[in-house]
Amino acid sequence: MDNTPVLSKENKGLEVLQFTLQRQDDQSKVMQEVITAVIEVRDEMVEMRDETKKQFEMMKDENKITRRQAGKLKSAVGKKSAKLVNELFGKKVSNELFSKKTGHLTRGIYTKLGIEYDVSSYLDIRSVDFEKAKTFVENLELADFESYQLRITDKQLETALIHGDDISFLLEESK
């Protein structure tokens, strides 16, 4: 004879309920594992995003101006230098004197760029600073230069005398 207890209808209902609860508990455990895995993946992605941002910022800091930007900056320096020399003399002078003084002020502008952007060459200016550097050059005025950068050099004086350029007013100012 079979010794298995015979289940009454009431016990059968409880067993079904117990089975259902066990099944829900198993599903809950699986869902919790899935959620834990999603959280781990999300944390890894956030970490990767942050690292990518950091590397991108480092790359922006390392990128120097392009050749095209260097050409535009060089052009801006040349134009500003010529404009400042015209202001300095206030009248027409010989081409040779104008050229010598323009070269002198051009070097002064590049020196100011180097100091402003902490570089030894304008080619080392960061690409992200290009527009600011160009604006910096365009906004320079004679008052921004030291007296030694504006003074008339011996060669410039010699050139002025050879060509009959009257720059005596500048010589008086430098005394």
Side-chain angles (χ1 to χ4, degrees):
M1 245 176 99
D2 186 9
N3 289 336
T4 308
V6 177
L7 296 175
S8 67
K9 275 189 165 185
E10 293 151 4
N11 283 344
K12 193 160 183 119
L14 288 174
E15 282 185 6
V16 169
L17 181 59
Q18 184 180 25
F19 176 77
T20 302
L21 290 173
Q22 181 62 43
R23 192 166 195 140
Q24 287 176 350
D25 190 42
D26 291 344
Q27 289 173 343
S28 172
K29 287 177 184 173
V30 170
M31 288 296 287
Q32 288 177 23
E33 288 175 13
V34 168
I35 290 171
T36 300
V38 167
I39 289 171
E40 289 173 0
V41 168
R42 182 185 175 276
D43 289 346
E44 288 175 17
M45 296 207 41
V46 166
E47 190 177 314
M48 287 171 53
R49 178 201 66 201
D50 293 345
E51 183 61 29
T52 302
K53 279 183 179 179
K54 189 189 311 180
Q55 288 177 353
F56 181 73
E57 289 301 318
M58 285 175 26
M59 283 176 38
K60 279 189 351 187
D61 284 346
E62 292 173 5
N63 282 344
K64 308 297 183 218
I65 59 174
T66 64
R67 288 182 182 178
R68 171 173 256 141
Q69 289 171 324
K72 288 179 179 180
L73 193 54
K74 187 175 181 179
S75 175
V77 168
K79 287 175 184 174
K80 183 48 111 175
S81 182
K83 183 178 181 213
L84 291 173
V85 169
N86 277 327
E87 286 178 31
L88 180 68
F89 288 132
K91 59 184 170 184
K92 181 139 177 61
V93 295
S94 66
N95 287 341
E96 188 177 356
L97 177 59
F98 183 84
S99 177
K100 285 184 179 183
K101 193 63 197 169
T102 301
H104 193 199
L105 272 181
T106 296
R107 285 188 298 283
I109 293 171
Y110 283 125
T111 298
K112 292 208 162 292
L113 268 173
I115 292 168
E116 181 71 15
Y117 291 95
D118 195 27
V119 293
S120 57
S121 166
Y122 77 101
L123 297 172
D124 292 330
I125 293 173
R126 299 178 321 157
S127 186
V128 295
D129 291 331
F130 166 71
E131 287 298 331
K132 285 190 275 184
K134 190 171 165 230
T135 300
F136 173 80
V137 168
E138 292 167 347
N139 290 335
L140 284 172
E141 297 178 9
L142 286 173
D144 296 321
F145 291 87
E146 302 295 327
S147 60
Y148 75 88
Q149 293 171 313
L150 298 175
R151 73 176 173 80
I152 299 298
T153 66
D154 292 342
K155 289 287 184 186
Q156 292 167 6
L157 178 58
E158 185 180 308
T159 301
L161 292 173
I162 290 171
H163 293 285
D165 293 317
D166 178 18
I167 56 169
S168 57
F169 64 98
L170 290 173
L171 298 174
E172 293 169 5
E173 289 176 11
S174 62
K175 289 182 184 178

